[in-house]
């Protein structure tokens, strides 16, 4: 199976089985967003719950919040997003593609290249790579525009009044030149605008004091959040890897100045190890340190957790040392002291008892929807099976860790009679009461039902047959080995509950 093949097989499985659908599909679809179907929703929720459990429930130094998506626009002014949250954009004059130059492979200036003319397909153009050091990723052309900056935040007016209509009505006859009119209008729109958050992080800085005061947390401590973020991406790519609406799992860890290097070391290892606990190929996850050029202006060190996607290594999570930049910026702009007082420390400058300082921050910021794609790539497996007629068949199965599988077990009556469906429903209900997401499935042949549950990653299938009615036994089939074992109903229930409460 080639890696291109793997990606198209995953996209097709996601659609066919109800993991991910194109947004607004019946209207032709919207390329930049996706809807998560019944199974995708479960997988995503399970991944989020796993992250929350490791970040919040298993520790006593991290507190969770759930902040609003729309925040005061001064937040984005102070954080620097209004000015700096931009991506470079280049247009190809040959094929009209639009791309981010920082995401395309570099080619040495002066390299001789050839590409097809988009107007006349028979014409081959010979050229040299210019100073910029890249070519169009679509057609290989060197006929490119200059780099322009493109704002990544979605902007919208807040309130009942349409600021454009209001401004035009007021200024229609004002005698302003076209340029002045446009400038004033843009200012008017900016003044009445709010933004969809491009990261969940800022709420955790803005709510730093409230969390500190209401939890009696002591530095070092963290604030965690899972939620939607929005970016007006120039190129949406690789299915759900990069979309305009996505979900993030972020944590801001506030620590004493000077301790940030140790905490960055701690968190980068902690986060890498977290992934390795529930995937099949831990070697497909690695850390990569950012070069100085890559780092955001507020960051003094940064690592990415990368995953080996079908197209190569790419970012799954950023772990940034953000210094005291954000708290200081919000302190200045809001005139609220976002600092911490430690009565047990001496102020390093004055030597007096008690130290007030602005904490430094380490931020592990992961993409939930991006992780879902990584987990699907990691879990997609094919093996050869011989069917009842002795023919060799390819079996597709998702080798998902049971803790994240959409269904934990499928309860399958062999026949739709002899009390088997009723018994199967009774067992399914008993497991549901224990909090397990269980599928009762009596459609189609048993072979087809096994195949379906293999493909959606259900770790076990429990078959209810004549023996269940007569002897009280069931068969439990393992998704990965396809081995079946016969157990009493009670043994099977105890085994499943035991597995899944881990
Ligand atoms: P990239 O370099 O891929 O654009 P980034 O460095 O801008 O990502 P961060 O700002 O560090 O991303 O965001 C933290 C995480 O949020 C990323 O590691 C990624 O998992 C996720 N993420 C960011 N942008 C998107 C997007 N457009 N679609 C899906 N997930 C995203």
């Amino acid at each position: 199976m080639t890696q291109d093949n793997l990606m198209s097989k995953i996209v097709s499985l996601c659609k066919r089985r109800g993991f991910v659908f194109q947004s607004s599909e019946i209207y032709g679809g919207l390329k930049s967003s996706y809807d998560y179907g019944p199974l995708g929703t479960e997988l995503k929720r399970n991944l989020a719950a796993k992250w929350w459990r490791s970040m919040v429930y298993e520790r006593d130094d991290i507190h969770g919040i759930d902040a609003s998506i729309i925040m005061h626009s001064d937040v984005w002014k102070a954080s620097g997003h209004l000015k700096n949250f931009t991506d470079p954009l280049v247009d190809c004059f040959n094929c009209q593609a639009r791309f981010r130059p920082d995401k395309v492979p570099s080619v040495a200036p002066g390299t001789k290249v050839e590409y097809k003319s988009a107007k006349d397909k028979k014409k081959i153009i010979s050229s040299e790579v210019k100073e910029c050091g890249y070519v169009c990723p679509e057609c290989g052309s060197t006929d490119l525009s200059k780099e322009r900056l493109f704002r990544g935040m979605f902007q919208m007016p807040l309130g009942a009044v349409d600021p454009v209509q209001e401004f035009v009505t007021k200024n229609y006859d004002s005698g302003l030149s076209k340029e002045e009119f446009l400038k004033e209008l843009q200012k008017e729109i900016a003044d009445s605008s709010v933004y969809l958050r491009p990261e969940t992080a800022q709420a955790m800085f803005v709510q730093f004091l409230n969390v500190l005061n209401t939890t009696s947390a002591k530095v070092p401590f963290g604030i965690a959040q899972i939620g939607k973020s929005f970016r007006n991406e120039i190129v949406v790519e690789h299915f759900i890897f990069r979309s305009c609406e996505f979900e993030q799992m972020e944590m801001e860890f506030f620590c004493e100045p000077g301790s940030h290097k140790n905490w960055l070391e701690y968190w980068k290892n902690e986060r890498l190890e977290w992934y390795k606990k529930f995937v099949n190929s831990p070697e497909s996850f690695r850390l990569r340190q950012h070069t100085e050029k890559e780092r955001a202006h507020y960051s003094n060190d940064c690592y990415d957790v990368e995953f080996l996607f079908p197209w190569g290594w790419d970012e799954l999570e950023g772990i940034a040392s953000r210094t005291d930049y954000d708290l200081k910026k919000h302190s200045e702009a809001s005139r609220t002291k976002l600092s911490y007082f430690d009565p047990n420390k001496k102020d390093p400058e004055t030597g007096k008892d008690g130290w007030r300082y602005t904490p430094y921050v380490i931020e592990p910021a992961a993409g939930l929807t991006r992780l879902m794609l990584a987990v699907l790539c990691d879990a997609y497996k094919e093996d050869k099976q011989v069917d009842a007629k002795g023919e060799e068949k390819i079996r597709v199965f998702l080798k998902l860790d049971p803790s994240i599988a959409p269904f934990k077990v499928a309860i399958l009556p062999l026949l739709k009679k002899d009390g088997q469906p009723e018994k199967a429903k009774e067992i399914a209900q008993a497991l549901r009461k224990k909090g397990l997401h269980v599928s009762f499935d009596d459609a189609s042949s048993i072979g087809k039902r096994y195949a379906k549950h293999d493909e959606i990653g259900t770790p076990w299938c429990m078959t209810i047959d004549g023996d269940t009615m007569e002897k009280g036994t069931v068969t439990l089939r393992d998704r990965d080995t396809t081995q079946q074992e016969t157990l009493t109903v009670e043994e099977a229930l105890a085994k499943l509950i035991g597995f899944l409460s881990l």
Side-chain angles (χ1 to χ4, degrees):
M1 181 170 45
T2 67
Q3 294 301 293
D4 271 359
N5 237 336
L6 169 63
M7 199 59 192
S8 56
K9 282 177 177 175
I10 287 172
V11 173
S12 147
L13 189 151
C14 281
K15 165 89 200 286
R16 196 158 26 87
R17 293 299 188 186
F19 281 89
V20 182
F21 306 125
Q22 188 70 62
S23 161
S24 324
E25 192 183 290
I26 60 168
Y27 287 100
L30 190 64
K31 207 175 150 216
S32 47
S33 354
Y34 291 91
D35 294 344
Y36 292 81
L39 297 182
T41 303
E42 289 303 321
L43 177 54
K44 189 151 66 68
R45 285 174 70 103
N46 292 341
L47 286 167
K50 208 168 184 59
W51 185 88
W52 195 262
R53 180 172 165 169
S54 84
M55 283 295 191
V56 181
Y57 294 166
E58 289 177 0
R59 311 179 59 102
D60 64 359
D61 57 353
I62 299 183
H63 307 273
I65 64 164
D66 185 5
S68 56
I69 287 171
I70 300 170
M71 301 172 77
H72 198 296
S73 52
D74 284 355
V75 169
W76 306 112
K77 232 181 256 170
S79 68
H81 281 79
L82 267 181
K83 201 163 154 224
N84 300 319
F85 197 70
T86 51
D87 283 323
L89 160 75
V90 167
D91 286 303
C92 171
F93 295 131
N94 182 46
C95 71
Q96 315 306 321
R98 187 161 267 185
F99 63 93
R100 269 180 68 175
D102 57 331
K103 296 278 174 194
V104 299
S106 45
V107 189
T111 308
K112 293 204 168 20
V113 289
E114 289 188 336
Y115 59 94
K116 269 189 198 151
S117 159
K119 278 192 198 130
D120 175 2
K121 293 261 157 43
K122 286 185 205 135
K123 191 170 158 197
I124 301 290
I125 302 171
S126 301
S127 166
E128 273 184 14
V129 177
K130 299 195 183 124
E131 269 304 290
C132 62
Y134 50 78
V135 297
C136 169
E138 297 295 327
C139 69
S141 149
T142 55
D143 192 10
L144 305 171
S145 74
K146 285 212 171 101
E147 290 183 20
R148 288 180 285 143
L149 287 178
F150 174 83
R151 170 138 1 111
M153 280 201 294
F154 286 101
Q155 183 177 356
M156 57 192 182
L158 186 70
V161 180
D162 175 358
V164 176
Q165 192 176 13
E166 185 92 333
F167 182 83
V168 172
T169 311
K170 247 196 251 161
N171 295 285
Y172 183 64
D173 292 329
S174 61
L176 291 172
S177 71
K178 190 173 145 197
E179 287 72 27
E180 287 166 340
F181 190 87
L182 195 63
K183 205 167 151 205
E184 290 296 315
L185 176 60
Q186 277 167 341
K187 187 173 171 302
E188 188 78 18
I189 292 173
D191 288 348
S192 61
S193 281
V194 288
Y195 301 87
L196 293 180
R197 66 180 179 200
E199 59 177 33
T200 64
Q202 292 307 318
M204 295 182 271
F205 299 124
V206 171
Q207 293 296 1
F208 168 78
L209 267 193
N210 277 334
V211 175
L212 188 64
N213 294 337
T214 53
T215 59
S216 43
K218 292 191 171 40
V219 170
F221 78 97
I223 307 180
Q225 178 168 214
I226 299 178
K228 291 225 171 186
S229 292
F230 303 81
R231 294 183 188 179
N232 199 359
E233 296 280 3
I234 294 165
V235 182
V236 286
E237 57 181 352
H238 305 311
F239 191 38
I240 55 172
F241 176 83
R242 188 183 304 284
S243 48
C244 287
E245 178 175 342
F246 55 98
E247 274 174 82
Q248 290 185 305
M249 308 186 289
E250 298 195 292
M251 195 273 292
E252 308 304 321
F253 195 78
F254 302 94
C255 61
E256 206 178 283
S259 69
H260 53 283
K261 277 198 180 127
N262 288 345
W263 281 114
L264 177 64
E265 193 60 23
Y266 170 84
W267 279 113
K268 78 178 187 0
N269 295 328
E270 191 75 9
R271 293 301 305 143
L272 180 67
E273 291 311 311
W274 181 74
Y275 292 103
K276 292 186 176 182
K277 281 182 209 155
F278 61 91
V279 296
N280 299 299
S281 310
E283 67 283 3
S284 298
F285 292 76
R286 72 174 188 192
L287 286 166
R288 185 183 67 82
Q289 189 172 23
H290 278 206
T291 61
E292 214 176 317
K293 208 174 140 211
E294 273 178 286
R295 279 203 311 259
H297 60 282
Y298 48 75
S299 165
N300 60 10
D301 204 357
C302 186
Y303 288 80
D304 281 348
V305 175
E306 294 189 325
F307 175 71
L308 189 55
F309 285 98
W311 61 92
W313 290 99
D314 217 331
E315 177 178 341
L316 199 54
E317 166 164 357
I319 301 147
S321 173
R322 292 182 79 126
T323 68
D324 53 3
Y325 173 85
D326 302 271
L327 288 179
K328 279 210 164 134
K329 284 286 169 197
H330 288 303
S331 290
E332 279 162 32
S334 65
R335 301 214 182 104
T336 306
K337 225 180 204 169
L338 301 178
S339 61
Y340 179 76
F341 182 72
D342 188 339
N344 301 317
K345 289 268 162 76
K346 280 192 191 312
D347 186 320
E349 275 177 25
T350 62
K352 287 188 184 153
D353 283 343
W355 182 21
R356 179 167 291 284
Y357 60 82
T358 305
Y360 271 47
V361 172
I362 306 299
E363 176 196 72
L368 172 57
T369 37
R370 200 174 274 191
L371 173 58
M372 186 169 141
L373 179 61
V375 158
L376 287 169
C377 294
D378 173 74
Y380 187 94
K381 306 279 174 222
E382 290 178 354
D383 65 10
K384 283 191 185 132
Q385 295 275 313
V386 179
D387 70 7
K389 291 180 202 148
E391 283 171 19
E392 221 176 50
K393 287 251 160 79
I394 299 285
R395 180 178 79 108
V396 173
F397 63 110
L398 282 188
K399 200 173 172 189
L400 292 169
D401 188 90
S403 62
I404 56 172
F407 286 119
K408 306 307 177 198
V409 56
I411 313 291
L412 316 175
L414 190 64
L415 302 175
K416 279 189 185 172
K417 57 181 186 179
D418 301 339
Q420 290 182 19
E422 292 74 17
K423 186 69 188 166
K425 279 185 182 161
E426 188 190 309
I427 293 174
Q429 206 50 30
L431 286 166
R432 285 183 185 131
K433 286 231 166 93
K434 294 282 178 193
L436 302 187
H437 193 224
V438 170
S439 165
F440 166 84
D441 196 346
D442 64 355
S444 68
S445 72
I446 194 76
K448 280 193 178 150
R449 280 182 275 166
Y450 283 155
K452 168 186 160 187
H453 283 283
D454 283 347
E455 224 188 4
I456 64 177
T458 308
W460 295 283
C461 284
M462 190 196 285
T463 309
I464 311 303
D465 55 18
D467 280 353
T468 316
M469 311 310 291
E470 279 172 31
K471 302 187 210 155
T473 57
V474 293
T475 56
L476 205 55
R477 177 183 177 275
D478 182 286
R479 173 199 63 201
D480 303 338
T481 61
T482 73
Q483 297 292 312
Q484 304 193 19
E485 62 175 329
T486 304
L487 299 165
T488 64
V489 172
E490 293 70 30
E491 282 168 345
L493 292 186
K495 189 166 181 170
L496 288 169
I497 292 162
F499 274 136
L500 296 164
S501 60
L502 290 177

